[in-house]
Amino acid sequence: MGFFCSVIAAMRPDVAIVRGYDTARSSLLFGKISAAGNTLWEDNISLPSLDGGLSTDGQLIYDRPSGLLSYVHYYNNRVSVFDTLLQAKHTFTTLDTVAPKLRLDPTKPRWIINKTACIHEGILYVCSNLRADNETYQTYMKNIPVDRYDVGTGNYLGSFYLPVDDGKLIRDMQVINGRLYAFYFSGRLAVFSLPGTSS
């Protein structure tokens, strides 16, 4: 078995959720695939796209304790939450105001809204890439805002800053045992304490 997929989240060794190309509907959709070759496609999670799925590209995160998956879009403010049976739970928007588009303008630079994200204890941490209205340019250039949301409700829980590392942003991050591990594009790994979190 083989087909194009852009993201994958492993449920267990023989089952995974992917964002793959469904030839029957000519669309990039979420699918549940097994090692035996069976595929179950979703019906109402993915946003429509007219540019091969580029405008709806994003990061898929599996929260094992809750059994929920969150898909954080790179180019708009939408977060889709669904379960391992590909049943949509709800959607919510981040603080940024960039709405989904059917296609990205190929003549303009692609501006990523949500750089990277992770989930810990039902809290979604999102690295925003846009300057807030109440943020000075100096603060924006020296810091990376991390916004927190309740995955179950979509409620905004507050924000905090992480420092830019020699002008480089964060490539990936994870929260483990009350600490946030940030891997920068500079190649540096930094560890930050997060009050109010546990293992």
Side-chain angles (χ1 to χ4, degrees), residues 73-138:
H73 288 83
Y74 289 140
Y75 301 108
N76 64 67
N77 62 354
R78 183 73 65 90
V79 178
S80 301
V81 181
F82 56 98
D83 63 23
T84 57
L85 297 176
L86 302 183
Q87 298 298 308
K89 292 301 182 182
H90 64 100
T91 62
F92 62 92
T93 56
T94 61
L95 294 179
D96 299 311
T97 58
V98 180
K101 297 179 180 179
L102 288 174
R103 68 170 76 243
L104 298 180
D105 188 339
T107 65
K108 295 181 179 179
R110 299 172 191 165
W111 189 258
I112 293 177
I113 309 305
N114 301 306
K115 195 71 175 176
T116 188
C118 67
I119 295 176
H120 179 69
E121 295 183 338
I123 305 300
L124 175 67
Y125 297 79
V126 180
C127 276
S128 175
N129 204 31
L130 293 185
R131 177 185 168 191
D133 293 338
N134 61 350
E135 219 171 28
T136 66
Y137 182 75
Q138 184 177 18

Side-chain angles (χ1 to χ4, degrees), residues 9-66:
M11 306 292 100
R12 52 181 193 265
D14 60 336
V15 177
I17 303 292
V18 302
R19 182 174 183 253
Y21 189 76
D22 178 15
T23 55
R25 286 182 279 180
S26 300
S27 299
L28 273 171
L29 302 172
F30 293 105
K32 185 176 184 178
I33 62 172
S34 70
N38 301 315
T39 304
L40 170 68
W41 294 104
E42 49 106 344
D43 284 322
N44 61 344
I45 300 172
S46 296
L47 293 173
S49 172
L50 296 179
D51 56 5
L54 179 61
S55 58
T56 55
D57 196 13
Q59 181 180 359
L60 181 63
I61 310 166
Y62 177 47
D63 182 37
R64 194 173 298 277
S66 68

